[in-house]
């Protein structure tokens, strides 16, 4: 038998194509009609793999969650180091796919990769000695912080036009027009500064917890 001219439709092909559309054009670009056209198939054939567009977006979100490294929770790193390294990996995945963050922000729901992330973080915190309620709060806190950092660029929010910031109106923004040119460096430094402060605070709480137990 001759091979088909186009690759057979698969779940992975649909998710990959949908993710590329989301990355390039945003969530609104994804529709079953657009996806079918991109894949070179008829629209109804997509329903053999996904029931709805929302199911496709859920799968795209989960494919991004699957890019997050979880090895730090399994190789003996202390809880603080593990949280730091996980947060860096988590942010990297979201930074590469920022347009899917609104879907991810709804929580893992039934998504396997998202649930593995939640399970790994919670399990590692409980195993380290955090009470379950506080371990849950830590997981939520880290998610808020990392997702917030991925939603936009502080430095990129300023234009590179020196005349845009009148010293009479904004006396402390005379150098703000230089921020956009240093966007990546500033945003990385801000993320590390916030992450360190967050982990310092958790470490202080953990020490108080340990003292209370002794």
């Amino acid at each position: 038998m001759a091979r088909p001219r186009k690759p057979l439709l698969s779940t992975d092909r649909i998710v990959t194509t949908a993710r590329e559309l989301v990355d390039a054009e945003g969530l609104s670009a994804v529709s079953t009609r657009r996806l079918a056209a991109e894949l070179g198939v008829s629209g109804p054939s997509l329903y053999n793999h996904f029931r709805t567009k929302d199911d496709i977006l859920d799968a795209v979100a989960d494919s991004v969650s699957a890019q997050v490294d979880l090895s730090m929770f399994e190789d003996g790193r202390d809880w603080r180091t593990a949280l730091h390294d996980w947060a860096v990996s988590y942010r990297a995945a979201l930074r590469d796919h920022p347009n899917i963050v609104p879907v991810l922000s709804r929580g893992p729901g039934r998504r396997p990769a998202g649930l593995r992330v939640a399970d790994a973080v919670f399990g590692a915190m409980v195993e380290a000695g955090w009470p379950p309620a506080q371990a849950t709060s830590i997981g939520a806190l880290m998610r808020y912080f990392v997702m917030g950092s991925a939603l936009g660029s502080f430095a990129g929010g300023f234009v590179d036009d020196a005349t845009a910031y009148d010293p009479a109106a904004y006396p402390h923004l005379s150098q703000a027009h230089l921020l956009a040119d240093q966007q990546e460096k500033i945003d990385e430094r801000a993320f590390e500064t916030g992450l360190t402060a967050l982990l310092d605070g958790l470490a202080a709480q953990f020490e108080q917890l340990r003292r209370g137990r002794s």
Side-chain angles (χ1 to χ4, degrees):
M1 291 179 61
R3 291 184 178 182
R5 293 182 179 178
K6 296 178 181 177
L8 294 175
L9 189 62
S10 67
T11 297
D12 286 345
R13 276 194 70 213
I14 295 170
V15 171
T16 298
T17 302
R19 186 173 61 236
E20 290 170 351
L21 279 176
V22 172
D23 287 344
E25 302 179 35
L27 293 171
S28 62
V30 178
S31 67
T32 53
R33 178 178 296 180
R34 176 73 183 278
L35 270 176
E38 295 286 336
L39 291 162
V41 299
S42 63
S45 63
L46 295 177
Y47 295 112
N48 293 325
H49 300 269
F50 294 99
R51 293 180 301 172
T52 66
K53 168 187 167 180
D54 285 342
D55 288 343
I56 295 173
L57 291 177
D58 269 344
V60 171
D62 213 39
S63 73
V64 173
S65 293
Q67 297 174 17
V68 180
D69 184 13
L70 300 176
S71 64
M72 64 285 297
F73 297 119
E74 303 169 354
D75 61 11
R77 276 173 257 190
D78 64 273
W79 69 264
R80 176 179 173 143
T81 302
L83 270 186
H84 174 277
D85 295 348
W86 167 73
V88 170
S89 176
Y90 191 9
R91 179 172 180 261
L94 300 189
R95 186 184 56 207
D96 290 343
H97 308 282
N99 291 335
I100 199 63
V101 171
V103 179
L104 284 165
S105 69
R106 302 172 194 161
R110 298 173 183 268
R111 302 182 205 126
L115 289 169
R116 282 193 292 273
V117 170
D119 181 72
V121 175
F122 177 78
M125 295 306 101
V126 171
E127 186 174 344
W130 286 96
Q134 286 173 279
T136 299
S137 296
I138 290 170
L141 169 64
M142 296 299 291
R143 193 163 71 89
Y144 300 153
F145 175 71
V146 176
M147 285 193 175
S149 75
L151 282 173
S153 165
F154 172 80
F158 295 88
V159 298
D160 61 359
D161 179 2
T163 66
Y165 306 107
D166 183 355
Y170 315 108
H172 305 295
L173 297 181
S174 61
Q175 302 296 305
H177 65 286
L178 302 175
L179 294 177
D181 190 49
Q182 300 292 320
Q183 176 179 333
E184 184 173 350
K185 181 186 298 184
I186 292 170
D187 290 346
E188 287 290 339
R189 189 168 63 222
F191 176 74
E192 280 293 341
T193 298
L195 183 57
T196 297
L198 188 156
L199 293 174
D200 282 348
L202 288 177
Q205 290 185 34
F206 192 66
E207 184 59 29
Q208 290 180 343
L209 180 65
R210 291 181 61 184
R211 289 176 180 175
R213 288 172 174 171
S214 60

